[in-house]
Amino acid sequence: MKVAFVLNGDSAHWEGAPTTRLAAALRDDLGCPGTKVGCDAGDCGACTVLLDSRQVCSCLVAMGQVDGRRVETVEGLASDGPAGGETLTALQASFLAYGAAQCGICTPGMLMAAAELVRRTTRPTRAEVEDALGGVLCRCTGYGKIVDAVLAVAAPTAAPVPEAGGAVGARIARVDGIAKITGRDAFGADAIPRDALWIRVVRSPHARARFVLGDLAPLRRRLAAVLTAAEVPFNGFGIYPDIKDQPVLADGIVRYRGEAVVALVGARAEVQAIHDDEVPIEWLPETPLFGVDAAMAADAPLVQADRPKNLLLEGGVKRGDVAAAFADCAAVAEGVFETAFVEHAYIEPEAGWAERVGDRIEIHVTTQTPYMDRDEVANVMQLRPEAVRIVPTACGGGFGGKLDLSVQPLIGIAAWKLRRPVACVYTRPESMAASTKRHPARVAAKFGCDAGGKLMACDVRATFDTGAYASWGPTVANRVPVHAMGPYAVPNVRTWGEAFFTNGPPAGAFRGFGVPQAAIAHEAMMDALADRLGIDRLEFRHRNALRVGDTTATGQVMAHSAGLAQCLEALRPSWRRAHDEVAAFNRGGGSSRRGVGIGCMWYGIGNTSMSNPSRMRVGLSPAGVLTLYNGAVDIGQGSNTIMVQIAADALGLPAAQFALVAGDTDLTTDAGKTSASRQTFVSGKAAEKAGLDLRRQILRLANAGPEATLALDGTELTVRDGAHVRTIDLATVGPLMGEGVFDPPTTPLDADGQGVPYATYAFAAQIAEVEVDIELGTVKVLRIVAAHDVGKAINPTLVEGQIQGGVAQGLGLALMEEYLPGRTENLHDYLIPTVGDVPEIECLLIEDREPLGPSGAKGVGEPGLVPTAPAILGAVHHATGVRAHRVPLLPHRLRDALVALKGNAP
């Protein structure tokens, strides 16, 4: 069929099958990759475009419906400006100034949905904005910055452009923001060579089975290659040097539903046309082990033959005499709390492509950890690490889920073997079936205090379902015992963490490494003890908050920064107001009840009790180009911008003069993984040192003192030291390179968990106000007030965005998100918060500076999520008397608990 239509104001012609999706035609044939594809099912809205000025999901529109109509995509918003530049629309400018784009994968869809609205009304109401954006999902922002940007479109505010020395603390726009709001940011599926072959992976429909491959010769004659375990040089990968337990392709046995078995390589249409039934596999299903009870049973079959009792790891922290302390407590509370598998649900599915360049393999991929990818791919392919180059694409959300390998080894092996570019893009169901999840947990907690409300003892046992393979299970099992008593001074502690293999999906890293699960338990215990003693819940926490000079359960003295008490003080006015408002509402009767809850957290920044280095470089070329060589991957949190701000002030030149090279393992040094909330603290400190190192070299060249100021104009670098002015001609000096390395000081933990696991900790407290329909069991979160000790807010806009995004994910953890293999493998059945679910979020930034950090900064990526679920669940308890022991607290679970509570009432 020939289709003629108007695309972004110009005549366009297309020819092909009339059922072709508009999204596919735009991306593959019409040069509009700014239209993103997150699900191909109309669930996520990332592919939203305007069709005759009305928003549609382009993945649901057939090209046969487009003939004679007008299509607008994100590429058509900005116009050509003078001198080859761009003129942004007011909407795009507002998105940039308000930090409305984080990872950027949903941004084109959000912009197009908002564009329809602001063309109708330049001053929309908040309800109109939320209604307009309701069809587009965002997993990063918590929607607040997006809504603010649309509301402000009539009078957009420009982000500041600070002078030299003023970058840290400024709300500057993201250095990569223009690419995000114009649709030019290239994600894993956006820049695949047109001549690339494609991989489609055949995956197990069984959670536990043995299998035999039949004759693959007919398929191999049809395709470029059919890869099996036999084609993988070293068929094992994993996070830890001594644990490579997950095969790239299963070899005779599968351990979870969705495990990769065969990779079909060929032309895209060919591999997509092959049905799984055409691949000769004889399945011998076995009874799977689901849940830790089954895994721990005495007669349980082993998930992995070399792991007795299905145990991955166990360990804990012991301090003081717990039994004696409990005997002396005036009040004791205990309970058991359970959580489910939770899906990362990043809007960009796993994607990438590879090509062989001589005797090296180059892999362009969406990832959180390029250097770990390099080393893992090298090990799988049995190459030297130097023979592997990882080029990170823009990353459309990660949250820990893109720390593990996905497409990397398969595209690498195929491209190496075939000497052709090879690509792989997961479908949404494939992504959800194959990727890692948040660990299901059972946390048994017991806390006790004296009559004055001072905590005396705690005993916590956290049991985790790590799924079929280890992934990040050891990290979760190790981190949780350190954090399980919460951010409180408890003199007598016994905590234990253990992880067991099951036939569930591999459980890996997900924003918090198990601490969110533990926080649900310890915050419920704080509420219970406060209630038993008649002490206000906020006040109870304030009395017990860790402070500078206190000793933690691992024996570490909090030497520098511990801002929980300050967070709680900042919340007191909101706490009192919320209680007054809730009481007034509940006096009105009706079928709804309101409540207010509070949750606190602490989070060790960086890896636990191990070396955690980062290395950064700042270069100044003979042409006068100032470049930050930044190996830290920005997955939406804003590290690209943060590193530039830190390096700029350390060097003494404006941030606006910096160019950026990020992530590429050939062009940058190893800045470590984007995980554990470490990049601002660790890589930021390395960037600060790199800037200072380059500054020292420049001052030495100019024979200038430490107070000298710098100015860069083309190839001329001017150094002004009082009355002394020296101009350096960079063209004659040659390239200058500053380097910085930082590894936070930690120590290993001994057999009792004693030592210094982290160099610094972030602290936070959040208040949640909720309304519960006691007839239906539904919960509406009305407001969140979040006070976070971040050390120093390098960029307050980005910090607030991280907190708001974390709150949204914490809300999902508490009330709606539960991954069920085979049942919730799409964004229709697996629910994540929409713009209508996320309430107003007020952020209070507490700056209790950490002297080890750059300008005193710590981290905030994971802390934003941790206290949210406890605060919401505490508010539900305040409203109804129901204490949730299983999350998510779905409506039927709350309804059943309300009926049981009413039936047990005297």
Side-chain angles (χ1 to χ4, degrees):
M1 178 179 182
K2 294 183 178 180
V3 178
F5 62 104
V6 176
L7 175 60
N8 293 327
D10 296 325
S11 296
H13 300 272
W14 180 89
E15 185 173 352
T19 55
T20 301
R21 300 173 191 264
L22 172 58
L26 289 170
R27 290 176 53 80
D28 299 339
D29 305 323
L30 296 165
C32 293
T35 300
K36 308 304 180 186
V37 175
C39 66
D40 248 356
D43 294 325
C44 74
C47 67
T48 297
V49 301
L50 299 186
L51 183 62
D52 292 340
S53 300
R54 300 297 301 272
Q55 62 168 296
V56 296
C57 286
S58 59
C59 72
L60 298 183
V61 176
M63 285 304 294
Q65 298 173 290
V66 176
D67 194 51
R69 303 176 74 177
R70 290 179 293 111
V71 176
E72 296 173 75
T73 72
V74 67
E75 287 91 349
L77 292 182
S79 58
D80 293 335
E86 286 180 303
T87 300
L88 302 177
T89 64
L91 182 62
Q92 288 172 304
S94 194
F95 265 55
L96 187 63
Y98 279 84
Q102 286 192 18
C103 81
I105 192 72
C106 76
T107 302
M110 286 289 184
L111 281 165
M112 301 315 297
E116 178 193 7
L117 172 66
V118 300
R119 289 175 186 178
R120 294 200 311 265
T121 173
T122 57
R123 296 187 181 277
T125 65
R126 180 171 290 272
E128 288 174 325
V129 173
E130 291 183 355
D131 184 57
L133 302 181
V136 186
L137 294 177
C138 177
R139 193 58 159 165
C140 295
T141 67
Y143 303 99
K145 298 293 185 186
I146 299 173
V147 173
D148 290 346
V150 180
L151 288 171
V153 72
T157 300
V161 183
E163 298 296 325
V168 170
R171 295 178 178 268
I172 72 170
R174 288 176 181 265
V175 297
D176 49 6
I178 296 292
K180 296 180 187 297
I181 62 172
T182 56
R184 293 203 307 267
D185 226 0
F187 293 85
D190 287 346
I192 295 170
R194 295 191 68 84
D195 65 339
L197 298 171
W198 282 67
I199 284 180
R200 187 175 76 78
V201 181
V202 179
R203 298 185 178 277
S204 171
H206 305 288
R208 185 186 182 106
R210 298 187 181 276
F211 68 90
V212 177
L213 294 175
D215 183 8
L216 295 173
L219 279 176
R220 288 188 163 121
R221 286 192 291 270
R222 292 170 57 185
L223 301 173
V226 177
L227 303 181
T228 68
E231 280 74 44
V232 182
F234 181 83
N235 195 21
F237 66 91
I239 303 303
Y240 295 87
D242 58 334
I243 304 177
K244 305 299 179 188
D245 63 340
Q246 186 164 358
V248 174
L249 292 169
D251 190 6
I253 183 171
V254 291
R255 297 180 176 89
Y256 74 101
R257 187 185 185 279
E259 184 160 3
V261 177
V262 173
L264 309 176
V265 190
R268 185 178 184 181
E270 289 178 338
V271 296
Q272 290 178 340
I274 295 174
H275 194 273
D276 284 2
D277 290 345
E278 298 180 68
V279 181
I281 305 175
E282 180 184 354
W283 293 105
L284 303 169
E286 300 177 354
T287 302
L289 286 180
F290 290 137
V292 293
D293 286 335
M296 296 166 64
D299 59 347
L302 298 182
V303 175
Q304 296 194 26
D306 60 344
R307 293 289 185 170
K309 301 181 180 179
N310 288 314
L311 179 66
L312 168 61
L313 188 80
E314 60 182 347
V317 173
K318 299 177 184 178
R319 187 172 181 83
D321 189 336
V322 173
F326 272 122
D328 291 337
C329 286
V332 174
E334 54 187 316
V336 179
F337 303 85
E338 296 186 349
T339 68
F341 283 115
V342 183
E343 162 66 22
H344 296 87
Y346 26 74
I347 304 303
E348 179 206 25
E350 294 79 354
W353 59 278
E355 65 177 339
R356 183 170 178 172
V357 180
D359 290 329
R360 302 183 76 216
I361 192 74
E362 294 188 357
I363 298 177
H364 301 250
V365 69
T366 178
T367 181
Q368 294 180 233
T369 175
Y371 278 86
M372 191 165 71
D373 284 359
R374 181 197 66 180
D375 295 346
E376 284 297 294
V377 169
N379 191 47
V380 166
M381 295 182 65
Q382 294 294 280
L383 300 172
R384 294 174 297 104
E386 296 78 16
V388 179
R389 179 186 185 186
I390 303 294
V391 184
T393 64
C395 183
F399 321 112
K402 290 177 182 173
L403 289 168
D404 293 75
L405 291 184
S406 58
V407 303
Q408 295 92 321
L410 288 176
I411 58 178
I413 292 167
W416 184 267
K417 175 184 176 72
L418 299 172
R419 296 181 181 269
R420 288 272 305 276
V422 178
C424 184
V425 178
Y426 283 4
T427 65
R428 173 56 58 183
E430 182 179 21
S431 172
M432 296 180 77
S435 63
T436 60
K437 307 289 177 272
R438 185 183 294 284
H439 283 74
R442 177 187 297 148
V443 184
K446 180 180 179 181
F447 282 72
C449 64
D450 64 19
K454 291 290 288 184
L455 290 169
M456 296 176 63
C458 81
D459 189 348
V460 179
R461 188 181 194 95
T463 303
F464 293 98
D465 180 343
T466 204
Y469 298 106
S471 183
W472 289 87
T475 298
V476 171
N478 282 334
R479 182 176 281 265
V480 167
V482 175
H483 290 81
M485 70 295 304
Y488 308 111
V490 188
N492 301 283
V493 171
R494 181 171 56 221
T495 62
W496 193 255
E498 55 191 3
F500 291 89
F501 290 104
T502 70
N503 290 120
F510 189 169
R511 206 170 192 171
F513 287 106
V515 176
Q517 297 95 306
I520 289 171
H522 65 62
E523 291 305 284
M525 298 297 93
M526 296 305 104
D527 284 352
L529 290 174
D531 291 350
R532 289 181 187 180
L533 293 177
I535 300 173
D536 176 84
R537 293 178 175 186
L538 186 151
E539 176 58 30
F540 185 88
R541 289 166 168 84
H542 190 269
R543 292 181 190 181
N544 290 288
L546 279 168
R547 292 169 168 83
V548 172
D550 285 344
T551 300
T552 72
T554 69
Q556 180 178 0
V557 176
M558 301 299 295
H560 302 131
S561 173
L564 179 59
Q566 296 95 307
C567 290
L568 290 165
E569 288 291 350
L571 289 178
R572 284 191 191 274
S574 296
W575 181 249
R576 290 191 292 266
R577 176 200 52 77
H579 274 277
D580 291 343
E581 292 178 357
V582 162
F585 179 88
N586 289 340
R587 284 196 293 270
S591 63
S592 295
R593 295 287 185 273
R594 289 187 177 178
V596 56
I598 186 168
C600 295
M601 62 74 62
W602 66 325
Y603 196 81
I605 303 300
N607 298 340
T608 307
S609 292
M610 60 189 298
S611 180
N612 187 26
S614 178
R615 185 183 301 270
M616 305 284 277
R617 289 176 176 167
V618 179
L620 187 53
S621 77
V625 178
L626 178 63
T627 305
L628 173 65
Y629 296 92
N630 169 19
V633 175
D634 192 329
I635 62 172
Q637 82 279 24
S639 62
N640 283 341
T641 307
I642 294 295
M643 301 306 158
V644 168
Q645 288 179 265
I646 292 169
D649 278 9
L651 175 59
L653 286 172
Q657 291 193 294
F658 273 73
L660 177 70
V661 173
D664 189 322
T665 56
D666 270 14
L667 302 178
T668 68
T669 50
D670 190 357
K673 299 174 286 294
T674 294
S675 67
S677 300
R678 61 177 295 280
Q679 291 296 15
T680 295
F681 177 59
V682 183
S683 293
K685 189 66 174 182
E688 183 181 72
K689 289 186 169 188
L692 290 171
D693 184 32
L694 179 57
R695 179 178 175 83
R696 280 190 293 267
Q697 295 177 41
I698 292 169
L699 296 183
R700 191 179 305 118
L701 283 172
N703 195 27
E707 301 304 318
T709 60
L710 309 182
L712 178 63
D713 184 6
T715 62
E716 290 189 352
L717 179 63
T718 301
V719 183
R720 187 179 300 275
D721 188 9
H724 176 70
V725 179
R726 169 77 186 277
T727 299
I728 300 173
D729 183 0
L730 294 170
T732 62
V733 170
L736 300 173
M737 185 71 74
E739 183 171 272
V741 180
F742 180 59
D743 191 358
T746 63
T747 68
L749 301 183
D750 66 17
D752 289 331
Q754 300 300 292
V756 179
Y758 311 100
T760 192
Y761 298 80
F763 291 84
Q766 293 181 4
I767 294 172
E769 299 172 48
V770 305
E771 184 173 317
V772 181
D773 186 316
I774 58 176
E775 298 296 329
L776 299 177
T778 57
V779 179
K780 174 70 174 176
V781 182
L782 304 175
R783 190 165 187 259
I784 298 283
V785 185
H788 281 256
D789 166 25
V790 300
K792 170 65 180 177
I794 303 296
N795 187 318
T797 297
L798 302 184
V799 172
E800 291 163 354
Q802 283 294 284
I803 294 169
Q804 291 172 347
V807 165
Q809 290 189 343
L811 186 156
L813 170 65
L815 299 177
M816 61 179 65
E817 297 190 41
E818 184 171 17
Y819 175 79
L820 303 172
R823 292 173 56 187
T824 58
E825 291 173 356
N826 57 66
L827 293 175
H828 179 78
D829 297 309
Y830 185 87
L831 302 181
I832 68 172
T834 69
V835 66
D837 295 310
V838 180
E840 174 191 356
I841 303 169
E842 179 183 356
C843 298
L844 306 175
L845 304 185
I846 307 302
E847 297 184 319
D848 188 9
R849 296 195 176 203
E850 169 54 64
L852 286 173
S855 298
K858 298 195 274 192
V860 74
E862 282 148 301
L865 177 149
V866 177
T868 307
I872 291 171
L873 298 172
V876 171
H877 179 260
H878 183 229
T880 66
V882 170
R883 171 63 65 191
H885 289 270
R886 181 181 177 188
V887 297
L889 186 58
L890 300 173
H892 72 278
R893 291 173 184 158
L894 178 53
R895 172 66 179 157
D896 289 346
L898 288 165
V899 170
L901 186 67
K902 185 176 181 180
N904 292 331

